[in-house]
Amino acid sequence: MTLNTLLDHPWFHTWVAALIAIVAAGIAHRIAQAVLVRVTRPMPALQSAVRTARAAAAFVLPLLALQAVWQAAPDDLHFIGRVRHLNGLALIACATWLVVSVIRGFADGLIAAHPVDVADNMNARRIHTQTRVIARTTMIIVGIIGAAMMLMTFPGARQVGASLLASAGVIGIVGGLAAKPVFSNLIAGLQIALTQPIRIDDVLIVDGEWGRVEEITGTYVVLRIWDERRLIIPLNYFIENTFQNWTRNSAQLLGSVYFHVDYGMPLAPLRAALERVVKAAPEWDGRFFNLVVTDATERTMQIRVLCTAASSGQAWDLRCRVREGLIDYMQREHPQHLPRLRIEGEKDAGTAPPATAAAA
């Protein structure tokens, strides 16, 4: 192909304009990226969004410039209609990618700015939960809108939509029934994000299982059980059912330990032993502890010990430490006052003298 032939080609001027548009868009992308990174330096969440969206923006700007070139080209140019359509599809896809990247980057930056590995992480867990749920829900909605916009660029898709409109009632009922779990979980996710019945790292009791909230997705919650199992629970479960949240307002807990002892057990030495055990325990948060008699049967009296800890895990360990410490003390100092079963007979009836047998 000679130079004159190339210059006379109908697409020559459009190709030159497209090349210039691509180069200009690339330069604009680099300048805008450097400026935005510098401007958003004091705002970690926005800077994270800018950095995450860098790859998508590198495609969006050239495609946007090319679309302007194709629209300015003559309508009688061969294949110009297909080129415009393909470029429009690519632009919609990359724009959707860009918006999703901005949302994901902003969410990651916001989460990174509020770490949960601190002593008082209540506010951080609230922000993590709201950010994750709202970001994922928004990204799903943006993806659906992007796909719908791409489909609407096809005339056939619009005709199918118009033909389905006549039977919208039946299709709406069937679609509604089929999509009920999806939409119920989506709505439940928004409710959880706004009302905060659960948060990331909350301690829950669900169906008798104790665990921490490890992840909240757009459709389910991952509960990490104490023995490293994972319990997968749909989001709408937490809207429609009751469950225990041990860290709803505070991570601090009041732990209880119960003992059954003989009526002869002296309480003052037992309280002194409890004080030594609790004050020596690293899990105790220094707020409160006590020992009281809460019940009395015909054989034993029930003793309740209360003690506080800063978190549910520490409360469990503290209860075990208190239980072991008091049992060890009673075995060493007052073994005769452990629960016993007494069998007493009549001496004048020739029966055996009073005897005792250790109860189970």
Side-chain angles (χ1 to χ4, degrees), residues 1-38:
M1 181 180 292
T2 63
L3 179 60
N4 291 331
T5 304
L6 181 62
L7 293 175
D8 293 335
H9 195 280
W11 275 87
F12 177 73
H13 296 90
T14 305
W15 287 338
V16 173
L19 181 61
I20 295 174
I22 291 174
V23 174
I27 296 174
H29 173 258
R30 289 181 176 273
I31 295 174
Q33 182 71 30
V35 171
L36 288 175
V37 169
R38 182 179 295 273

Side-chain angles (χ1 to χ4, degrees), residues 53-350:
R54 179 185 300 174
F59 286 92
V60 170
L61 289 179
L63 287 172
L64 189 61
L66 285 175
Q67 190 67 17
V69 172
W70 307 141
Q71 293 297 331
D75 293 337
D76 57 352
L77 201 60
H78 198 48
F79 295 122
I80 189 62
R82 295 183 180 179
V83 171
R84 289 171 178 170
H85 187 208
L86 290 176
N87 195 99
L89 289 175
L91 180 59
I92 294 173
C94 291
T96 304
W97 176 23
L98 176 63
V99 176
V100 170
S101 298
V102 169
I103 296 171
R104 183 174 63 248
F106 184 82
D108 291 343
L110 195 60
I111 289 172
H114 297 82
V116 296
D117 54 346
V118 294
D120 186 7
N121 62 1
M122 187 66 64
N123 185 58
R125 291 192 291 113
R126 177 182 61 81
I127 293 175
H128 278 222
T129 302
Q130 289 182 331
T131 303
R132 291 179 188 275
V133 175
I134 293 177
R136 286 172 180 171
T137 303
T138 308
M139 287 191 289
I140 291 173
I141 293 174
V142 169
I144 293 173
I145 293 174
M149 292 178 64
M150 293 178 68
L151 286 176
M152 292 304 293
T153 62
F154 293 91
R158 290 198 295 267
Q159 293 175 3
V160 171
S163 64
L164 291 176
L165 189 60
S167 56
V170 177
I171 293 175
I173 294 174
V174 175
L177 292 174
K180 181 181 177 181
V182 176
F183 287 112
S184 63
N185 281 318
L186 184 63
I187 295 172
L190 292 176
Q191 287 181 276
I192 288 173
L194 296 175
T195 61
Q196 297 278 297
I198 60 173
R199 303 182 184 94
I200 297 295
D201 206 40
D202 264 349
V203 176
L204 307 182
I205 304 294
V206 179
D207 290 339
E209 295 283 4
W210 182 97
R212 291 183 177 272
V213 177
E214 184 176 57
E215 184 180 3
I216 301 177
T217 70
T219 55
Y220 60 86
V221 172
V222 179
L223 194 68
R224 186 178 74 249
I225 309 302
W226 63 273
D227 57 1
E228 300 300 325
R229 289 177 295 142
R230 295 321 191 258
L231 187 63
I232 311 300
I233 310 165
L235 280 176
N236 57 3
Y237 176 92
F238 296 98
I239 304 299
E240 300 173 357
N241 299 277
T242 58
F243 59 94
Q244 296 184 42
N245 188 337
W246 286 10
T247 54
R248 177 67 180 87
N249 296 317
S250 172
Q252 295 176 334
L253 283 179
L254 180 67
S256 60
V257 180
Y258 289 88
F259 296 94
H260 289 271
V261 297
D262 189 79
Y263 281 102
M265 174 68 71
L267 296 179
L270 195 58
R271 286 193 174 98
L274 172 64
E275 183 176 1
R276 291 192 297 270
V277 172
V278 170
K279 289 186 176 180
E283 298 87 0
W284 185 52
D285 61 4
R287 287 190 295 138
F288 173 77
F289 73 91
N290 78 345
L291 183 150
V292 295
V293 177
T294 56
D295 195 11
T297 68
E298 68 278 6
R299 295 178 180 176
T300 61
M301 58 181 177
Q302 184 186 67
I303 293 177
R304 186 192 67 186
V305 173
L306 295 180
C307 47
T308 58
S311 67
S312 59
Q314 291 178 338
W316 173 267
D317 294 338
L318 179 60
R319 290 168 61 197
C320 294
R321 188 183 297 273
V322 168
R323 189 180 294 113
E324 292 175 1
L326 290 187
I327 289 176
D328 179 68
Y329 168 78
M330 289 186 289
Q331 288 175 339
R332 287 186 292 103
E333 304 295 334
H334 303 279
Q336 71 278 17
H337 296 142
L338 292 174
R340 292 176 179 272
L341 177 63
R342 289 183 174 84
I343 304 176
E344 297 183 0
E346 296 282 346
K347 288 185 178 181
D348 54 3

Side-chain angles (χ1 to χ4, degrees), residues 33-48:
Q33 182 71 30
V35 171
L36 288 175
V37 169
R38 182 179 295 273
V39 169
T40 58
R41 187 170 297 169
M43 299 168 283
L46 290 177
Q47 188 172 61
S48 176

